[in-house]
């Protein structure tokens, strides 16, 4: 008799675990619906392990060298990987080869930050501020500093006018952005969300592709523009000159979140909201699931998948953590992160700031 699924129960193809193990990488997955960032690793060629950590509605993430930035409901949190702290982690010494520890927290307020990237210096954070329909800079001076908005957006307002969401960068510069509509009224994109999605050239704002179904996660790989045509569950390649596109493969769910390592793409997929009349007639309505699929880009084929059975229904972002076979991550709600100290040239674990409880002796 099969037992009922437990929280975060999952199933995966043997090829998926084998691929992570062979590549020597791990994945970071953000799920705002479950309030988690999950680190997924292969500890053997046929066995996956996951570490779910609590963050408040995490969505977009960015990586640069040993840094990981996570956009949460009201903050952007920057974590730093330290192998020395990982090796001496008090709870599991000599188990992890990396440990991401919170180092900076920027109070943005609720702005619905989506895709993000680090600047060329590896310090500045640039992101899509969806609520205010702009690209912005995040630092210690302001809640955010607007640096660009689509030409059709007339003013900055907390109205999610076009659901600006994704950015594609090359050599540290933004080249393209995606939005769910060419609209300039409060949540105006919702009326045409099934086929009103657009891709814009940056910074001109020229619309190079329209008619898409809630596009997300534009990326430039080998000089070519790839986009997730989310409601159709498709990975597509767009020709910016002609606006034509080619379907690379079907992904089986609402596609959102994409990262590359070598010839492989790791793409997040989410379950469709089955109680929504807008989604019920889509081709992926019955097959959609929450998880990650691996795509071999030279052939445009799915070569493995990881699927949640419980807890996780929606995924926003997926990031490859290169050269880390089994990293861990500490979230701000874990007291032990306050003891993780790093200084130039050294890493050490400090004492807990909690007072020790007096010992009681029973006579």
């Amino acid at each position: 008799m099969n037992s009922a699924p437990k929280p975060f129960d999952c199933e995966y193809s043997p090829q998926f675990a084998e691929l992570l193990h062979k590549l020597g990488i791990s994945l970071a997955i953000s799920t705002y619906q479950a309030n988690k960032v999950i680190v997924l690793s292969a500890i053997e060629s046929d066995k996956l392990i996951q570490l779910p950590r609590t963050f408040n509605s995490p969505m977009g993430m960015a990586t640069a060298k040993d840094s990981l930035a996570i956009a949460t409901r009201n903050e952007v949190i920057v974590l730093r990987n330290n192998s020395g702290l990982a090796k001496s982690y008090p709870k599991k010494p000599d188990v992890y080869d990396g440990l991401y520890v919170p180092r900076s927290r920027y109070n943005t307020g609720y702005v619905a930050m989506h895709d993000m990237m680090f600047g060329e210096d590896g310090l500045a954070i640039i992101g899509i501020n969806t609520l205010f329909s702009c690209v912005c800079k995040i630092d210690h001076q302001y809640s955010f500093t607007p640096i660009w908005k689509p030409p059709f957006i007339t003013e900055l307002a907390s109205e999610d006018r076009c659901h600006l969401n994704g950015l594609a960068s090359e050599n540290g510069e933004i080249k393209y952005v995606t939005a769910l509509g060419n609209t300039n009224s409060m949540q105006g994109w919702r009326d045409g969300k099934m086929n009103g999605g657009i891709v814009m050239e940056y910074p001109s704002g020229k619309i190079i592709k329209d008619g898409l179904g809630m596009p997300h996660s534009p990326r430039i790989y080998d000089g070519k523009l790839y986009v997730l045509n989310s409601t159709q569950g498709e990975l597509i390649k767009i020709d910016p000159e002609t606006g034509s596109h080619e379907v690379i493969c079907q992904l089986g769910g609402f596609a959102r979140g994409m990262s590359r390592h070598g010839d492989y793409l790791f793409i997040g997929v989410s379950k469709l909201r089955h109680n929504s009349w807008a989604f019920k007639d889509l081709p992926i309505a019955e097959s959609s699931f929450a998880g990650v699929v691996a795509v071999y880009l030279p052939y445009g084929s799915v070569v493995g998948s990881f699927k949640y059975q419980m807890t996780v229904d929606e995924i926003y972002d997926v990031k490859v953590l290169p050269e880390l076979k089994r990293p861990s991550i500490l979230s701000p709600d874990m007291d032990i992160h306050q003891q993780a100290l790093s200084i130039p040239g050294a890493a050490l674990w400090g004492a807990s700031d909690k007072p020790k409880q007096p010992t009681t002796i029973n006579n």
Side-chain angles (χ1 to χ4, degrees):
M1 182 176 180
N2 295 329
S3 59
K6 301 182 293 295
F8 298 100
D9 264 4
C10 60
E11 59 183 26
Y12 49 88
S13 64
Q15 298 90 340
F16 193 90
E18 182 181 9
L19 183 59
L20 292 190
H21 190 265
K22 180 183 73 173
L23 296 176
I25 64 173
S26 296
L27 302 177
I29 303 166
S30 65
T31 164
Y32 59 92
Q33 163 261 328
N35 289 314
K36 301 293 180 184
V37 170
I38 300 165
V39 174
L40 186 65
S41 306
I43 58 174
E44 297 173 12
S45 61
D46 60 350
K47 184 177 181 180
L48 294 178
I49 188 169
Q50 55 180 327
L51 291 175
R53 300 301 193 212
T54 299
F55 289 82
N56 187 1
S57 299
M59 289 200 295
M61 299 187 290
T63 56
K65 296 181 180 179
D66 287 321
S67 296
L68 172 66
I70 302 170
T72 68
R73 183 174 179 83
N74 300 305
E75 298 177 304
V76 172
I77 302 173
V78 181
L79 301 91
R80 186 80 175 170
N81 175 41
N82 190 296
S83 59
L85 289 172
K87 182 176 178 62
S88 58
Y89 184 43
K91 293 186 176 182
K92 289 187 176 181
D94 296 316
V95 170
Y96 301 115
D97 59 358
L99 182 65
Y100 284 91
V101 180
R103 289 291 173 230
S104 304
R105 300 174 72 168
Y106 298 99
N107 295 302
T108 60
Y110 178 58
V111 296
M113 289 289 292
H114 280 56
D115 279 13
M116 299 191 303
M117 60 177 278
F118 282 98
E120 287 188 88
D121 59 3
L123 298 175
I125 299 172
I126 307 299
I128 301 291
N129 183 329
T130 299
L131 205 59
F132 283 83
S133 309
C134 70
V135 176
C136 70
K137 179 181 177 182
I138 300 297
D139 58 27
H140 66 282
Q141 297 186 68
Y142 302 101
S143 298
F144 61 92
T145 301
I147 57 178
W148 181 88
K149 59 181 176 63
F152 53 80
I153 297 295
T154 54
E155 60 183 343
L156 294 176
S158 179
E159 296 180 346
D160 185 13
R161 294 185 174 188
C162 64
H163 207 78
L164 197 68
N165 60 36
L167 64 82
S169 64
E170 187 175 42
N171 300 322
E173 296 184 359
I174 300 175
K175 297 294 185 181
Y176 303 98
V177 296
T178 51
L180 301 194
N182 178 3
T183 50
N184 188 41
S185 59
M186 185 172 181
Q187 296 193 1
W189 59 273
R190 289 187 176 277
D191 289 339
K193 66 182 179 181
M194 301 308 294
N195 57 12
I198 59 174
V199 180
M200 288 175 280
E201 186 179 66
Y202 184 97
S204 71
K206 176 185 176 183
I207 297 174
I208 64 166
K209 182 68 176 177
D210 59 12
L212 297 175
M214 302 180 73
H216 284 82
S217 311
R219 304 288 187 260
I220 299 173
Y221 298 133
D222 302 324
K224 300 173 182 177
L225 174 60
Y226 295 86
V227 175
L228 298 179
N229 194 23
S230 301
T231 61
Q232 300 303 310
E234 298 172 339
L235 169 65
I236 65 175
K237 182 172 66 176
I238 296 174
D239 183 339
E241 298 297 324
T242 65
S244 62
H245 77 273
E246 171 190 355
V247 177
I248 302 301
C249 63
Q250 297 286 338
L251 302 166
F254 186 94
R256 182 173 53 195
M258 177 162 57
S259 189
R260 180 188 186 184
H261 186 83
D263 286 332
Y264 296 92
L265 304 183
F266 296 91
I267 301 174
V269 291
S270 299
K271 286 184 180 179
L272 290 175
R273 301 182 183 101
H274 297 295
N275 60 348
S276 170
W277 66 267
F279 294 141
K280 65 182 178 65
D281 293 328
L282 291 176
I284 58 173
E286 297 300 323
S287 64
S288 67
F289 62 93
V292 179
V293 298
V295 173
Y296 184 58
L297 189 54
Y299 291 167
S301 57
V302 174
V303 294
S305 63
F306 169 89
K307 302 179 180 181
Y308 280 103
Q309 297 172 301
M310 280 283 288
T311 310
V312 177
D313 291 330
E314 297 188 25
I315 287 172
Y316 183 78
D317 211 353
V318 178
K319 293 297 180 189
V320 169
L321 304 178
E323 300 179 8
L324 291 172
K325 293 183 177 181
R326 192 178 178 183
S328 184
I329 181 173
L330 302 181
S331 56
D333 70 329
M334 299 172 67
D335 290 340
I336 196 170
H337 99 266
Q338 302 290 359
Q339 299 170 244
L341 309 178
S342 61
I343 59 177
L348 59 151
W349 290 91
S352 171
D353 63 353
K354 290 187 175 181
K356 293 184 179 179
Q357 296 298 319
T359 302
T360 301
I361 299 176
N362 296 320
N363 292 326

